[in-house]
């Protein structure tokens, strides 16, 4: 009787050990999947923020405003708001700079506060981008005049697509980089204007 009881109890112990080990393996798989997803998310966020052209138009406008304000007034919020208005009223602004002014005009007061604290223009633009996500999406066009084919081959496909979008052209059926380069060269006559 004792041997039967020992055999039954050892069988249930083995069964519970097996179940526990399966649960542990499942938990480890879940943790490793979550960790891999977190790493992928972090790398995609850092890759998105590594774009050297991100917020470039906003940064230029903000730096022009900062340069136009006397040192003594750079902490004065009404003076900063007035300088933003004066900068945006200039006739010499490009279309993209006017677009940034269009986005910034309703939130001048929100822009003036971090500006008055001396926040660098790149951080300032990324901060106001949280209230309007289109601010950092405005970029200067890629200069393509006087570029030869060997210079175009140095550009990424994403940059070539951006050039085509700026020209209002869609490259249907383009898959290879060479096809995008050919389309950029064929649409060179559309590259003149910065107007929307």
């Amino acid at each position: 009787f004792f041997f039967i009881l020992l055999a039954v109890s050892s069988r249930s112990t083995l069964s519970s050990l097996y179940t526990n080990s399966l649960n542990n393996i499942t938990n480890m798989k879940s943790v490793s999947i979550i960790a891999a997803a977190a790493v992928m998310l972090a790398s995609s966020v850092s890759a998105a923020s590594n774009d050297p052209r991100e917020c470039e138009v906003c940064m230029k406008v903000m730096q022009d405003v900062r340069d136009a304000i006397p040192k003594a007034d750079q902490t004065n919020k009404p003076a900063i708001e007035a300088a933003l208005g004066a900068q945006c009223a200039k006739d010499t602004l490009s279309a993209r700079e006017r677009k940034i002014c269009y986005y910034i005009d309703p939130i001048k007061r929100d822009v003036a506060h971090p500006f008055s604290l001396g926040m660098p223009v790149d951080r300032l633009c990324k901060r106001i981008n949280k209230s309007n996500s289109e601010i950092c999406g405005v970029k200067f066009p890629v200069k393509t005049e006087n570029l030869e084919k060997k210079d175009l081959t140095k550009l990424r496909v994403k940059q070539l697509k951006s050039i085509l979008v700026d020209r209002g052209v869609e490259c249907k059926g383009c898959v290879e980089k060479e096809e995008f380069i050919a389309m950029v060269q064929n649409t060179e006559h559309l590259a003149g204007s910065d107007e929307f």
Side-chain angles (χ1 to χ4, degrees), residues 38-132:
V39 168
M40 289 173 47
L41 179 65
S43 67
S44 69
V45 168
S46 68
S49 64
N50 288 340
D51 185 9
R53 296 181 60 213
E54 183 181 26
C55 299
E56 66 181 348
V57 180
C58 176
M59 289 191 302
K60 182 188 181 308
V61 170
M62 292 300 151
Q63 190 60 51
D64 290 346
V65 170
R66 181 162 282 155
D67 293 343
I69 299 175
K71 248 329 188 201
D73 289 339
Q74 288 191 358
T75 57
N76 184 356
K77 292 178 190 176
I80 294 169
E81 290 178 35
L84 279 167
Q87 176 68 24
C88 291
K90 290 182 179 177
D91 293 333
T92 58
L93 296 178
S94 70
R96 284 167 172 75
E97 291 171 323
R98 286 193 308 269
K99 190 171 188 177
I100 289 295
C101 286
Y102 174 78
Y103 292 143
I104 289 175
D105 189 49
I107 57 171
K108 275 188 210 175
R109 191 157 285 166
D110 296 334
V111 173
H113 177 69
F115 199 100
S116 70
L117 298 174
M119 185 177 284
V121 292
D122 58 336
R123 288 188 49 215
L124 175 66
C125 288
K126 288 178 183 171
R127 183 172 181 170
I128 62 177
N129 188 52
K130 292 176 184 175
S131 64
N132 186 345

XYZ file of all heavy atoms in Angstrom, residues 38-132:
723
model
N 9.950 46.009 -27.395
C 10.409 47.271 -26.816
C 11.681 47.757 -27.503
O 11.839 48.951 -27.778
C 10.646 47.103 -25.320
N 12.599 46.848 -27.805
C 13.830 47.217 -28.500
C 13.517 47.738 -29.894
O 14.077 48.749 -30.332
C 14.809 46.021 -28.557
C 15.948 46.281 -29.518
C 15.330 45.713 -27.175
N 12.607 47.083 -30.600
C 12.239 47.528 -31.949
C 11.576 48.897 -31.894
O 11.845 49.755 -32.735
C 11.323 46.499 -32.615
C 12.048 45.225 -33.001
S 10.991 43.909 -33.618
C 9.947 44.710 -34.768
N 10.711 49.125 -30.917
C 10.043 50.406 -30.781
C 11.047 51.502 -30.477
O 11.011 52.582 -31.072
C 8.980 50.341 -29.681
C 8.209 51.627 -29.416
C 7.384 51.991 -30.646
C 7.313 51.471 -28.216
N 11.977 51.229 -29.578
C 12.992 52.222 -29.223
C 13.882 52.550 -30.413
O 14.224 53.708 -30.642
C 13.834 51.717 -28.056
N 14.231 51.552 -31.199
C 15.081 51.814 -32.364
C 14.333 52.582 -33.427
O 14.906 53.425 -34.104
C 15.640 50.510 -32.928
O 14.596 49.721 -33.467
N 13.036 52.326 -33.589
C 12.276 53.083 -34.597
C 12.087 54.523 -34.155
O 12.122 55.433 -34.973
C 10.921 52.423 -34.865
O 10.074 52.552 -33.743
N 11.917 54.765 -32.855
C 11.779 56.139 -32.359
C 13.093 56.885 -32.527
O 13.113 58.022 -32.966
C 11.322 56.137 -30.876
C 11.463 57.507 -30.264
C 9.893 55.658 -30.778
N 14.213 56.240 -32.198
C 15.496 56.912 -32.339
C 15.843 57.123 -33.805
O 16.444 58.125 -34.163
C 16.600 56.135 -31.634
O 16.842 54.912 -32.294
N 15.440 56.204 -34.681
C 15.701 56.387 -36.110
C 14.888 57.549 -36.652
O 15.355 58.306 -37.499
C 15.375 55.110 -36.877
N 13.660 57.700 -36.158
C 12.829 58.803 -36.623
C 13.386 60.135 -36.156
O 13.272 61.145 -36.841
C 11.395 58.624 -36.129
N 13.986 60.185 -34.981
C 14.495 61.444 -34.470
C 15.899 61.751 -34.990
O 16.433 62.805 -34.695
C 14.498 61.425 -32.946
O 15.388 60.449 -32.480
N 16.513 60.869 -35.757
C 17.840 61.095 -36.296
C 17.822 61.808 -37.639
O 18.871 62.004 -38.226
C 18.597 59.770 -36.434
C 19.015 59.221 -35.096
O 19.078 59.941 -34.116
N 19.305 57.935 -35.052
N 16.661 62.180 -38.128
C 16.567 62.872 -39.407
C 17.193 64.256 -39.263
O 16.706 65.073 -38.481
C 15.101 62.984 -39.837
C 14.943 63.592 -41.214
O 15.966 63.779 -41.916
O 13.791 63.876 -41.602
N 18.280 64.540 -39.985
C 18.935 65.847 -39.826
C 18.075 67.003 -40.328
O 18.291 68.144 -39.944
C 20.218 65.702 -40.647
C 19.940 64.614 -41.611
C 18.955 63.694 -40.948
N 17.084 66.713 -41.168
C 16.239 67.766 -41.713
C 14.984 67.991 -40.871
O 14.176 68.844 -41.204
C 15.845 67.408 -43.142
C 17.036 67.353 -44.084
C 16.638 67.034 -45.498
N 15.723 68.044 -45.986
C 14.735 67.806 -46.839
N 14.542 66.588 -47.275
N 13.944 68.771 -47.241
N 14.834 67.252 -39.778
C 13.641 67.385 -38.963
C 13.574 68.780 -38.356
O 14.530 69.269 -37.772
C 13.646 66.328 -37.857
C 12.398 66.360 -37.016
C 12.414 65.330 -35.910
O 13.508 64.942 -35.481
O 11.340 64.934 -35.480
N 12.455 69.438 -38.509
C 12.187 70.770 -37.947
C 13.102 71.858 -38.509
O 13.245 72.918 -37.900
C 12.283 70.772 -36.425
S 11.124 69.694 -35.594
N 13.713 71.647 -39.670
C 14.704 72.599 -40.154
C 14.113 73.970 -40.463
O 14.748 74.995 -40.193
C 15.439 72.047 -41.383
C 14.567 71.881 -42.612
C 15.319 71.300 -43.798
O 16.556 71.220 -43.759
O 14.648 70.942 -44.771
N 12.907 74.025 -40.993
C 12.304 75.314 -41.318
C 11.908 76.043 -40.035
O 12.156 77.237 -39.882
C 11.089 75.142 -42.260
C 10.473 76.485 -42.594
C 11.495 74.423 -43.539
N 11.327 75.330 -39.100
C 10.965 75.909 -37.813
C 12.204 76.452 -37.108
O 12.189 77.569 -36.572
C 10.263 74.867 -36.952
S 9.876 75.433 -35.281
N 13.290 75.685 -37.123
C 14.512 76.127 -36.452
C 15.073 77.386 -37.092
O 15.555 78.279 -36.401
C 15.561 75.004 -36.452
C 15.190 73.860 -35.529
S 16.489 72.645 -35.238
C 16.887 72.072 -36.857
N 14.968 77.492 -38.422
C 15.462 78.695 -39.095
C 14.628 79.907 -38.703
O 15.160 80.972 -38.388
C 15.455 78.523 -40.602
C 16.009 79.761 -41.318
C 15.828 79.689 -42.799
C 16.393 80.897 -43.512
N 15.947 82.186 -43.015
N 13.300 79.750 -38.697
C 12.424 80.865 -38.333
C 12.689 81.297 -36.891
O 12.819 82.496 -36.595
C 10.939 80.482 -38.538
C 10.014 81.524 -37.936
C 10.634 80.297 -40.018
N 12.793 80.331 -35.981
C 13.027 80.661 -34.573
C 14.396 81.305 -34.364
O 14.538 82.226 -33.558
C 12.902 79.417 -33.690
C 11.514 78.876 -33.591
S 10.415 80.116 -32.886
C 8.902 79.645 -33.659
N 15.393 80.844 -35.094
C 16.724 81.452 -34.965
C 16.714 82.874 -35.524
O 17.348 83.761 -34.955
C 17.778 80.599 -35.679
C 19.193 81.036 -35.392
C 19.536 80.975 -33.914
O 19.324 79.974 -33.244
N 20.077 82.059 -33.374
N 15.986 83.103 -36.612
C 15.868 84.458 -37.158
C 15.185 85.388 -36.159
O 15.578 86.544 -36.008
C 15.093 84.445 -38.481
C 15.874 83.785 -39.610
O 17.098 83.578 -39.454
O 15.256 83.467 -40.653
N 14.157 84.876 -35.479
C 13.478 85.678 -34.451
C 14.439 85.969 -33.312
O 14.536 87.109 -32.843
C 12.213 84.954 -33.936
C 11.633 85.657 -32.716
C 11.170 84.863 -35.030
N 15.173 84.956 -32.864
C 16.120 85.141 -31.759
C 17.199 86.159 -32.134
O 17.600 86.984 -31.309
C 16.749 83.804 -31.383
C 17.730 83.943 -30.219
C 18.031 82.639 -29.554
N 16.907 82.303 -28.677
C 16.596 81.076 -28.322
N 17.306 80.069 -28.743
N 15.573 80.846 -27.532
N 17.664 86.125 -33.383
C 18.694 87.061 -33.832
C 18.154 88.486 -33.926
O 18.909 89.448 -33.780
C 19.260 86.626 -35.188
C 20.042 85.322 -35.102
O 20.428 84.922 -33.979
O 20.247 84.692 -36.159
N 16.852 88.626 -34.192
C 16.250 89.949 -34.354
C 15.931 90.635 -33.024
O 15.786 91.848 -32.975
C 14.978 89.835 -35.186
N 15.831 89.868 -31.942
C 15.476 90.429 -30.642
C 16.746 90.882 -29.920
O 17.709 90.117 -29.838
C 14.740 89.384 -29.774
C 13.458 88.939 -30.444
C 14.433 89.944 -28.395
C 12.754 87.819 -29.698
N 16.732 92.095 -29.358
C 17.886 92.509 -28.550
C 18.043 91.596 -27.334
O 17.072 91.035 -26.834
C 17.521 93.941 -28.102
C 16.419 94.374 -29.001
C 15.742 93.153 -29.507
N 19.260 91.446 -26.863
C 19.561 90.554 -25.736
C 18.689 90.852 -24.519
O 18.242 89.938 -23.831
C 21.010 90.757 -25.327
C 22.066 89.748 -25.499
C 21.780 88.342 -25.448
C 23.091 87.576 -25.455
N 22.888 86.241 -25.875
N 18.433 92.127 -24.263
C 17.669 92.520 -23.079
C 16.207 92.071 -23.156
O 15.570 91.841 -22.130
C 17.724 94.037 -22.900
N 15.676 91.942 -24.364
C 14.263 91.576 -24.536
C 14.035 90.078 -24.739
O 12.899 89.656 -24.931
C 13.666 92.329 -25.729
C 13.483 93.808 -25.441
O 13.429 94.164 -24.249
O 13.398 94.601 -26.401
N 15.073 89.276 -24.699
C 14.908 87.855 -24.991
C 14.215 87.077 -23.880
O 13.880 85.919 -24.069
C 16.261 87.208 -25.325
C 16.757 87.640 -26.684
C 17.937 86.840 -27.164
O 18.448 85.963 -26.481
N 18.385 87.143 -28.369
N 13.965 87.722 -22.754
C 13.188 87.080 -21.694
C 11.820 87.724 -21.526
O 11.036 87.305 -20.684
C 13.939 87.152 -20.350
O 14.207 88.518 -20.038
C 15.243 86.368 -20.423
N 11.527 88.725 -22.344
C 10.269 89.463 -22.283
C 9.265 88.821 -23.244
O 9.413 88.926 -24.466
C 10.531 90.930 -22.639
C 9.305 91.789 -22.513
O 8.212 91.306 -22.238
N 9.495 93.083 -22.723
N 8.253 88.158 -22.707
C 7.295 87.419 -23.543
C 6.548 88.303 -24.543
O 6.427 87.922 -25.711
C 6.311 86.642 -22.667
C 6.959 85.510 -21.909
C 5.968 84.804 -21.015
C 6.660 83.842 -20.087
N 5.738 83.228 -19.156
N 6.034 89.478 -24.156
C 5.372 90.334 -25.167
C 6.322 90.761 -26.292
O 5.911 90.840 -27.453
C 4.880 91.539 -24.359
C 4.730 91.032 -22.967
C 5.823 90.018 -22.798
N 7.595 91.016 -25.949
C 8.563 91.386 -26.978
C 8.818 90.213 -27.922
O 8.981 90.403 -29.142
C 9.868 91.841 -26.331
N 8.833 89.007 -27.390
C 9.037 87.815 -28.222
C 7.847 87.621 -29.156
O 8.019 87.341 -30.350
C 9.261 86.573 -27.339
C 10.580 86.715 -26.575
C 9.256 85.300 -28.173
C 10.771 85.687 -25.483
N 6.634 87.794 -28.619
C 5.434 87.671 -29.458
C 5.445 88.717 -30.566
O 5.105 88.411 -31.718
C 4.178 87.814 -28.603
C 3.944 86.646 -27.674
C 2.720 86.835 -26.792
O 1.735 87.431 -27.258
O 2.755 86.383 -25.636
N 5.848 89.938 -30.241
C 5.921 90.995 -31.250
C 6.975 90.670 -32.312
O 6.762 90.894 -33.508
C 6.229 92.335 -30.588
N 8.110 90.116 -31.871
C 9.174 89.744 -32.813
C 8.723 88.604 -33.723
O 9.058 88.579 -34.916
C 10.433 89.357 -32.057
N 7.956 87.659 -33.179
C 7.410 86.578 -34.012
C 6.484 87.155 -35.083
O 6.550 86.768 -36.250
C 6.640 85.573 -33.155
C 7.459 84.532 -32.420
C 6.617 83.811 -31.382
C 8.051 83.538 -33.391
N 5.629 88.105 -34.666
C 4.727 88.746 -35.616
C 5.476 89.528 -36.678
O 5.130 89.476 -37.861
N 6.521 90.251 -36.265
C 7.316 91.031 -37.216
C 8.058 90.118 -38.195
O 8.136 90.411 -39.392
C 8.308 91.911 -36.468
N 8.599 89.020 -37.689
C 9.313 88.074 -38.556
C 8.366 87.481 -39.594
O 8.702 87.356 -40.759
C 9.949 86.961 -37.720
C 10.632 85.869 -38.511
C 11.883 86.333 -39.225
O 12.507 87.308 -38.824
N 12.235 85.655 -40.292
N 7.166 87.122 -39.149
C 6.217 86.480 -40.050
C 5.577 87.470 -41.021
O 4.989 87.059 -42.018
C 5.146 85.754 -39.237
S 5.809 84.309 -38.381
N 5.696 88.757 -40.754
C 5.121 89.766 -41.646
C 6.069 90.145 -42.785
O 5.668 90.880 -43.698
C 4.751 91.007 -40.844
N 7.285 89.656 -42.739
C 8.268 89.995 -43.774
C 7.843 89.442 -45.130
O 7.324 88.332 -45.225
C 9.648 89.457 -43.418
C 10.307 90.158 -42.264
C 11.697 89.591 -42.029
C 12.389 90.289 -40.879
N 13.706 89.695 -40.616
N 8.115 90.212 -46.180
C 7.788 89.783 -47.544
C 8.838 88.846 -48.124
O 8.598 88.211 -49.146
C 7.651 91.002 -48.460
C 6.450 91.863 -48.103
O 5.479 91.314 -47.549
O 6.486 93.081 -48.381
N 9.979 88.779 -47.499
C 11.089 87.996 -48.051
C 11.075 86.530 -47.629
O 11.967 85.778 -48.008
C 12.427 88.617 -47.613
O 12.468 88.654 -46.192
C 12.586 90.023 -48.181
N 10.082 86.113 -46.867
C 10.019 84.728 -46.406
C 9.682 83.785 -47.556
O 8.892 84.117 -48.442
C 8.962 84.562 -45.312
C 9.194 85.312 -43.998
C 8.032 85.062 -43.050
C 10.491 84.892 -43.356
N 10.266 82.600 -47.501
C 9.919 81.576 -48.494
C 8.540 81.008 -48.152
O 7.993 81.260 -47.073
C 10.961 80.458 -48.491
O 10.872 79.703 -47.296
N 7.988 80.234 -49.052
C 6.659 79.657 -48.832
C 6.650 78.741 -47.616
O 5.688 78.723 -46.849
C 6.215 78.887 -50.071
N 7.719 78.016 -47.405
C 7.772 77.100 -46.272
C 7.896 77.861 -44.948
O 7.316 77.461 -43.944
C 8.906 76.108 -46.459
C 8.520 75.044 -47.495
C 9.688 74.224 -47.944
N 9.312 73.118 -48.768
C 8.940 73.182 -50.040
N 8.848 74.356 -50.628
N 8.627 72.102 -50.729
N 8.628 78.958 -44.963
C 8.710 79.785 -43.758
C 7.356 80.429 -43.453
O 6.965 80.525 -42.284
C 9.790 80.853 -43.917
C 11.194 80.285 -43.930
C 12.256 81.295 -44.307
O 11.994 82.154 -45.182
O 13.347 81.237 -43.728
N 6.636 80.842 -44.481
C 5.285 81.389 -44.270
C 4.354 80.322 -43.716
O 3.475 80.610 -42.901
C 4.720 81.956 -45.584
C 5.343 83.275 -45.987
C 4.571 83.966 -47.091
N 4.312 83.143 -48.249
C 5.099 83.062 -49.316
N 6.204 83.765 -49.376
N 4.781 82.299 -50.336
N 4.548 79.083 -44.137
C 3.724 77.993 -43.625
C 3.979 77.783 -42.134
O 3.043 77.585 -41.356
C 4.022 76.709 -44.406
C 3.063 75.585 -44.124
C 3.303 74.437 -45.092
C 2.229 73.382 -44.945
N 2.391 72.300 -45.900
N 5.239 77.844 -41.719
C 5.566 77.735 -40.297
C 4.919 78.893 -39.535
O 4.360 78.701 -38.449
C 7.094 77.712 -40.073
C 7.681 76.385 -40.563
C 7.458 77.939 -38.617
C 7.221 75.168 -39.800
N 4.981 80.082 -40.090
C 4.356 81.238 -39.433
C 2.847 81.028 -39.299
O 2.252 81.409 -38.288
C 4.645 82.510 -40.226
S 6.351 83.085 -40.031
N 2.247 80.422 -40.311
C 0.813 80.130 -40.260
C 0.499 79.190 -39.087
O -0.492 79.361 -38.390
C 0.385 79.503 -41.589
C -1.039 79.017 -41.625
C -2.090 79.907 -41.793
C -1.334 77.670 -41.479
C -3.404 79.464 -41.826
C -2.635 77.218 -41.500
C -3.669 78.115 -41.680
O -4.964 77.670 -41.704
N 1.364 78.211 -38.865
C 1.157 77.270 -37.762
C 1.449 77.906 -36.402
O 0.818 77.582 -35.404
C 2.046 76.035 -37.922
C 1.680 75.140 -39.083
C 2.673 74.511 -39.829
C 0.361 74.907 -39.436
C 2.348 73.677 -40.884
C 0.034 74.087 -40.490
C 1.030 73.472 -41.211
O 0.711 72.645 -42.250
N 2.441 78.796 -36.356
C 2.880 79.362 -35.089
C 2.001 80.527 -34.637
O 1.853 80.758 -33.436
C 4.363 79.794 -35.192
C 5.235 78.549 -35.245
C 4.786 80.683 -34.040
C 6.688 78.825 -35.468
N 1.401 81.247 -35.553
C 0.636 82.448 -35.210
C -0.420 82.206 -34.125
O -0.490 82.983 -33.166
C 0.006 83.049 -36.464
C -0.613 84.395 -36.195
O 0.072 85.244 -35.576
O -1.788 84.603 -36.572
N -1.228 81.133 -34.204
C -2.230 80.937 -33.143
C -1.642 80.540 -31.778
O -2.313 80.666 -30.766
C -3.110 79.798 -33.671
C -2.756 79.613 -35.086
C -1.405 80.185 -35.292
N -0.409 80.075 -31.763
C 0.177 79.612 -30.489
C 1.383 80.462 -30.079
O 2.284 79.978 -29.395
C 0.567 78.116 -30.584
C 1.538 77.861 -31.733
C -0.656 77.240 -30.698
C 2.117 76.461 -31.752
N 1.385 81.727 -30.470
C 2.515 82.613 -30.148
C 2.826 82.635 -28.659
O 3.976 82.606 -28.256
C 2.199 84.053 -30.583
C 2.499 84.370 -31.991
C 2.309 85.857 -32.185
C 1.880 86.147 -33.587
N 1.568 87.547 -33.782
N 1.791 82.705 -27.857
C 1.989 82.799 -26.409
C 2.641 81.520 -25.875
O 3.506 81.567 -25.011
C 0.648 83.044 -25.720
C 0.814 83.404 -24.275
C -0.346 84.151 -23.742
N -0.277 85.522 -24.247
C -1.276 86.382 -24.187
N -2.408 86.027 -23.668
N -1.138 87.599 -24.646
N 2.223 80.371 -26.410
C 2.823 79.098 -25.991
C 4.278 78.987 -26.446
O 5.085 78.328 -25.796
C 2.024 77.919 -26.552
C 0.612 77.863 -26.011
O 0.387 78.383 -24.897
O -0.271 77.308 -26.696
N 4.600 79.625 -27.569
C 5.966 79.603 -28.081
C 6.838 80.571 -27.279
O 8.008 80.295 -27.020
C 5.979 79.977 -29.582
C 7.393 80.124 -30.098
C 5.225 78.945 -30.393
N 6.258 81.691 -26.867
C 7.028 82.732 -26.186
C 7.566 82.261 -24.833
O 8.660 82.675 -24.429
C 6.180 83.984 -26.008
N 6.832 81.416 -24.129
C 7.287 80.992 -22.799
C 8.611 80.213 -22.846
O 9.585 80.622 -22.202
C 6.202 80.188 -22.077
C 6.643 79.684 -20.748
N 6.873 80.523 -19.681
C 6.945 78.435 -20.322
C 7.281 79.808 -18.659
N 7.330 78.534 -19.015
N 8.705 79.087 -23.582
C 10.003 78.393 -23.604
C 11.091 79.224 -24.287
O 12.266 79.130 -23.945
C 9.720 77.098 -24.371
C 8.450 77.313 -25.076
C 7.689 78.349 -24.330
N 10.673 80.064 -25.238
C 11.624 80.951 -25.914
C 12.249 81.904 -24.895
O 13.449 82.150 -24.921
C 10.874 81.733 -27.001
C 11.743 82.328 -28.052
C 11.889 81.715 -29.273
C 12.404 83.527 -27.828
C 12.683 82.269 -30.254
C 13.199 84.091 -28.796
C 13.346 83.459 -30.013
N 11.423 82.426 -23.977
C 11.914 83.375 -22.971
C 12.839 82.713 -21.954
O 13.640 83.384 -21.312
C 10.740 84.030 -22.242
O 10.085 83.081 -21.415
N 12.740 81.406 -21.810
C 13.611 80.675 -20.895
C 14.962 80.346 -21.519
O 15.819 79.749 -20.871
C 12.927 79.387 -20.434
C 11.625 79.575 -19.659
C 10.978 78.231 -19.379
C 11.865 80.348 -18.382
N 15.135 80.705 -22.798
C 16.402 80.466 -23.478
C 16.549 79.062 -24.034
O 17.660 78.600 -24.276
N 15.435 78.382 -24.257
C 15.479 77.025 -24.788
C 16.096 77.038 -26.199
O 15.761 77.903 -27.005
C 14.062 76.448 -24.842
C 14.004 75.001 -25.254
S 12.316 74.349 -25.213
C 12.088 74.138 -23.471
N 16.991 76.112 -26.508
C 17.561 76.049 -27.856
C 16.472 75.837 -28.910
O 15.440 75.217 -28.630
C 18.498 74.832 -27.800
C 18.747 74.597 -26.356
C 17.555 75.091 -25.622
N 16.711 76.351 -30.124
C 15.664 76.331 -31.149
C 15.254 74.924 -31.550
O 14.083 74.690 -31.860
C 16.070 77.158 -32.394
C 16.129 78.626 -32.067
C 17.368 76.677 -32.992
N 16.171 73.963 -31.536
C 15.783 72.603 -31.908
C 14.812 72.009 -30.889
O 13.800 71.412 -31.251
C 17.009 71.705 -32.108
C 17.896 71.610 -30.878
O 17.864 72.533 -30.042
O 18.626 70.610 -30.764
N 15.099 72.205 -29.603
C 14.191 71.712 -28.556
C 12.886 72.487 -28.558
O 11.822 71.920 -28.306
C 14.865 71.798 -27.192
C 15.964 70.747 -27.047
C 16.535 70.639 -25.661
N 15.516 70.550 -24.638
C 15.654 71.097 -23.435
N 16.741 71.764 -23.118
N 14.696 70.969 -22.540
N 12.961 73.783 -28.840
C 11.757 74.610 -28.910
C 10.820 74.105 -30.000
O 9.613 73.939 -29.785
C 12.138 76.072 -29.147
C 11.012 77.067 -29.367
C 10.183 77.212 -28.106
C 11.563 78.409 -29.779
N 11.374 73.839 -31.169
C 10.546 73.362 -32.286
C 9.958 71.984 -31.993
O 8.801 71.724 -32.322
C 11.358 73.349 -33.577
S 11.689 75.005 -34.199
N 10.733 71.106 -31.396
C 10.201 69.781 -31.060
C 9.111 69.881 -29.997
O 8.163 69.109 -30.004
C 11.329 68.858 -30.605
C 12.209 68.449 -31.770
C 13.354 67.586 -31.362
C 14.211 67.286 -32.583
N 15.446 66.627 -32.250
N 9.245 70.869 -29.115
C 8.224 71.052 -28.085
C 6.919 71.573 -28.683
O 5.843 71.077 -28.347
C 8.740 72.019 -27.025
C 7.775 72.213 -25.891
C 8.413 73.005 -24.789
N 7.494 73.167 -23.694
C 7.829 73.639 -22.524
N 9.078 73.987 -22.290
N 6.946 73.773 -21.583
N 7.000 72.564 -29.563
C 5.762 73.083 -30.159
C 5.205 72.120 -31.205
O 4.038 72.206 -31.557
C 5.920 74.514 -30.727
C 6.951 74.559 -31.852
C 6.251 75.489 -29.635
C 7.097 75.912 -32.497
N 6.038 71.194 -31.660
C 5.559 70.168 -32.581
C 4.544 69.256 -31.898
O 3.709 68.650 -32.558
C 6.740 69.349 -33.113
C 6.347 68.408 -34.217
O 5.722 68.817 -35.188
N 6.690 67.152 -34.068
N 4.599 69.182 -30.569
C 3.636 68.364 -29.835
C 2.234 68.937 -29.940
O 1.258 68.195 -29.911
C 4.045 68.247 -28.363
C 5.306 67.442 -28.166
C 5.727 67.419 -26.718
C 7.054 66.681 -26.555
N 7.545 66.751 -25.183
N 2.112 70.262 -30.076
C 0.782 70.865 -30.210
C 0.301 70.847 -31.648
O -0.899 70.875 -31.901
C 0.774 72.292 -29.656
O 1.630 73.115 -30.413
N 1.211 70.844 -32.609
C 0.848 70.743 -34.023
C 1.911 69.899 -34.707
O 3.006 70.375 -34.989
C 0.757 72.129 -34.666
C 0.255 72.077 -36.085
O 0.217 71.027 -36.711
N -0.136 73.219 -36.611
